[in-house]
Amino acid sequence: MLIGEFNHSIDSKGRVIIPSKFREDLQGQFVMTKGLDHCLFVYPMEEWKKITDKIKELPMTSGPVRSFVRTFFSGAQDQILDKQGRVIIPQNLRDHANIDKDVVIIGLNTRVEIWAVEEWDSYQEEEALSYEDMAEKLAELGI
């Protein structure tokens, strides 16, 4: 199951170790792309197929849909783990997520997110104030 939070560093070749807890779910091959809030999204192939099937149904006559699709897919990279469980994060994706050296890798059930430590800390500070409010809104939705 893709859950948890792990700290790692990018090596001089732009590689990061994917936590062993996530490797089985990613099955060695996955897609990495530009995420929201200055992070990267990592999808197992099965989940990637579900996402792309949903995106295919969106109206391409909509400007915001076209813009999202261009950004989402242009940043996407097929990835394979090496024998040490590492993956190269391409420079364009590191730039998108402001990743330099230290990262936080989090599991969100159906995907993994990779964050620059500074971005994650900033996000946590901003969102922590409303965590209880978010929980109340989810309760209103029956969750």
Side-chain angles (χ1 to χ4, degrees):
M1 182 180 285
L2 298 171
I3 57 173
E5 178 178 322
F6 303 88
N7 293 292
H8 288 281
S9 294
I10 304 293
D11 70 13
S12 61
K13 296 180 181 178
R15 298 175 299 193
V16 66
I17 294 172
I18 297 298
S20 59
K21 183 175 181 179
F22 296 160
R23 291 180 205 160
E24 185 176 333
D25 288 320
L26 294 175
Q27 299 176 352
Q29 186 176 1
F30 50 90
V31 174
M32 182 183 296
T33 191
K34 295 174 182 177
L36 304 174
D37 303 313
H38 299 285
C39 75
L40 303 178
F41 289 167
V42 176
Y43 291 100
M45 295 308 283
E46 183 178 323
E47 194 63 31
W48 179 252
K49 179 162 178 17
K50 290 178 189 175
I51 295 290
T52 58
D53 286 347
K54 288 180 183 178
I55 290 173
K56 286 178 193 175
E57 301 302 318
L58 296 174
M60 296 318 272
T61 55
S62 167
V65 168
R66 288 192 310 274
S67 293
F68 175 79
V69 168
R70 287 178 184 131
T71 301
F72 190 70
F73 285 105
S74 69
Q77 300 277 327
D78 289 319
Q79 297 283 355
I80 297 175
L81 293 174
D82 69 12
K83 292 178 183 177
Q84 288 78 37
R86 298 173 301 191
V87 64
I88 293 175
I89 300 177
Q91 187 63 52
N92 66 318
L93 295 181
R94 282 186 272 157
D95 292 345
H96 169 79
N98 301 318
I99 292 172
D100 182 38
K101 181 71 176 156
D102 296 321
V103 296
V104 178
I105 302 173
I106 61 172
L108 297 173
N109 189 31
T110 59
R111 74 172 183 269
V112 171
E113 291 183 352
I114 302 176
W115 292 76
V117 167
E118 301 81 10
E119 293 286 344
W120 178 246
D121 290 345
S122 176
Y123 179 81
Q124 290 282 39
E125 287 175 20
E126 292 172 15
E127 297 301 319
L129 299 174
S130 61
Y131 187 64
E132 288 78 14
D133 291 336
M134 287 186 279
E136 285 181 25
K137 292 190 185 310
L138 289 174
E140 291 172 8
L141 296 173
I143 298 174

